[in-house]
Amino acid sequence: MTQAHPVAPHSGAPMPFGRLITAMVTPFAADGSLDLDGVARLATHLVDEQHNDALVISGTTGESPTTTDAEKEQLLRTVVEAVGDRAKIIAGVGTNDTRHTIELAATAEKAGAHGLLVVTPYYNKPPQAGLVRHFTAVADATALPVMLYDIPHRSGVPIATETLVRLAEHERIVAVKDAKVDLIATSWVTSRTDLAIYCGDDATTLPALAVGAVGMVGTSTHFTGPGTKRMIEAYEAGDIATALALHRQLLPLYTGIFRTQGVILVKAGLTALGLPAGPVRSPLVPATEDEIAQLRLDFAAAGLDLPG
C-alpha cells in the first residue's frame, strides 16, 4: 500500500510518528488527582528539552489502567493544546474489550489526537483470529493512523508474524510498538510489510534498527531523549560507531529504569529533577530509598546527573 509519511533515509521505512517517542507518565497532584498544569509542563519538557517527535498519552507508563475514560480525555486535550503543534500526540486507547476500545478511539479523535496506540487485548487471551477482528474493527472505526502494541509479557498473547502481515494490509494500520524482543520475528515483519516498527524495549533499540525498525517508544527517554535521538540519527546516517557508543553509554539507564515497574522510577527521577510527576496510583507503590539510590548510580553510569 502507499504511505504518505516521511521516510527514514537508511532503512527506507516510513516514519509516521517520527523517530523518538516517549510514553509519558501522568503527573498527579499530592491527593492523586490529575495535575493538568504539570501534564502540560512535562509534555513541553519532553518535546522541547528531550527532543521527542511524538508522545504516547495514556500508555502503560501513563498508568492507563488506573485512569478513567474522562481523565484520559482531559489528559489528551491538555497535551494536544500544549505541544500538538510541534509533536505527534498518540492516544493509548487499547483495552481487552473491542467496543470500549472503539469508544476510546472516537473520543481521542475528537480530542485532537494524531494517532492511536492499540495494545493487544490482555487477560482474555484471544486467538490470532480474534486479534485480527479486534484491530481491524478499531482501524475501521477511526480516521486516525493506528500503531499496534505487541507486548506479550503483559498481554499474554503475541501478535504472530502472519497476523501482522495480514493487518498491514489495512490502510490505517501503519506502525507497531514492538516489545516482543524477538529480532527474528521483527526481521520477518520488516521484510514482508511496510509497517513502521518502533522498538518498545529501550535497551534493544539499536539492534532493532539493524533489522529495519525506524525508532523507539521509550520509558527512559524521559531522561535520555537527546542521546537516544543522536543514536538513532547516527545509525540512520550510517555512522554505526557513534550509534554503538551512545547505545553503550545509555545502556545503564535503558535497563536500570526497569529495576522495578518503569513508571515508579520515572516518577522518582522526575521528582528529583524538579519536574512534574507526583505519586503513583495504587496498586503501584513509590520507589524506595534504595531504589532511588540505585537510580542515581544508573544515571551516573549513563553520563547523566540525578540530584539528591
Side-chain angles (χ1 to χ4, degrees), residues 57-134:
I57 307 304
S58 295
T60 307
T61 310
E63 297 179 76
S64 58
T66 55
T67 57
T68 67
D69 290 1
E71 286 176 325
K72 288 179 173 64
E73 182 178 1
Q74 286 181 289
L75 285 166
L76 185 58
R77 290 186 181 277
T78 298
V79 174
V80 169
E81 182 176 353
V83 297
D85 60 338
R86 57 193 187 277
K88 296 289 182 69
I89 309 304
I90 305 165
V93 299
T95 75
N96 59 353
D97 175 352
T98 304
R99 289 177 298 177
H100 188 198
T101 301
I102 290 172
E103 291 169 2
L104 290 174
T107 299
E109 188 169 351
K110 292 176 184 176
H114 303 117
L116 304 174
L117 179 69
V118 185
V119 71
T120 313
Y122 40 84
Y123 187 72
N124 43 18
K125 298 182 73 171
Q128 295 299 306
L131 298 186
V132 170
R133 180 176 294 184
H134 175 81

Side-chain angles (χ1 to χ4, degrees), residues 25-233:
V25 301
T26 297
F28 295 127
D31 65 358
S33 62
L34 294 184
D35 174 12
L36 293 177
D37 178 65
V39 168
R41 288 190 290 125
L42 180 59
T44 299
H45 170 79
L46 291 175
V47 172
D48 294 348
E49 305 299 328
Q50 292 295 320
H51 301 182
N52 281 277
D53 300 310
L55 300 175
V56 170
I57 307 304
S58 295
T60 307
T61 310
E63 297 179 76
S64 58
T66 55
T67 57
T68 67
D69 290 1
E71 286 176 325
K72 288 179 173 64
E73 182 178 1
Q74 286 181 289
L75 285 166
L76 185 58
R77 290 186 181 277
T78 298
V79 174
V80 169
E81 182 176 353
V83 297
D85 60 338
R86 57 193 187 277
K88 296 289 182 69
I89 309 304
I90 305 165
V93 299
T95 75
N96 59 353
D97 175 352
T98 304
R99 289 177 298 177
H100 188 198
T101 301
I102 290 172
E103 291 169 2
L104 290 174
T107 299
E109 188 169 351
K110 292 176 184 176
H114 303 117
L116 304 174
L117 179 69
V118 185
V119 71
T120 313
Y122 40 84
Y123 187 72
N124 43 18
K125 298 182 73 171
Q128 295 299 306
L131 298 186
V132 170
R133 180 176 294 184
H134 175 81
F135 290 128
T136 300
V138 177
D140 283 345
T142 182
L144 295 177
V146 172
M147 179 188 292
L148 307 181
Y149 186 5
D150 188 9
I151 184 165
H153 63 273
R154 284 186 181 273
S155 68
V157 176
I159 310 176
T161 298
E162 292 300 326
T163 302
L164 287 167
V165 171
R166 181 175 174 185
L167 289 167
E169 297 174 1
H170 198 292
E171 62 180 349
R172 283 183 294 283
I173 296 177
V174 300
V176 179
K177 179 182 177 183
D178 181 1
K180 191 182 292 177
V181 196
D182 181 345
L183 292 176
I184 295 173
T186 302
S187 298
W188 280 114
V189 173
T190 58
S191 69
R192 296 176 61 192
T193 78
D194 60 357
L195 289 169
I197 302 296
Y198 290 89
C199 184
D201 177 77
D202 296 25
T204 56
T205 298
L206 183 57
L209 292 172
V211 297
V214 300
M216 73 180 294
V217 180
T219 301
S220 68
T221 48
H222 283 81
F223 314 109
T224 65
T228 301
K229 189 72 168 288
R230 291 197 303 273
M231 179 186 75
I232 295 169
E233 290 177 342

Side-chain angles (χ1 to χ4, degrees), residues 206 227 230-231 233-235 238-248:
L206 183 57
R230 291 197 303 273
M231 179 186 75
E233 290 177 342
Y235 181 85
D239 185 356
I240 309 304
T242 296
L244 180 57
L246 287 164
H247 164 80
R248 288 171 172 168

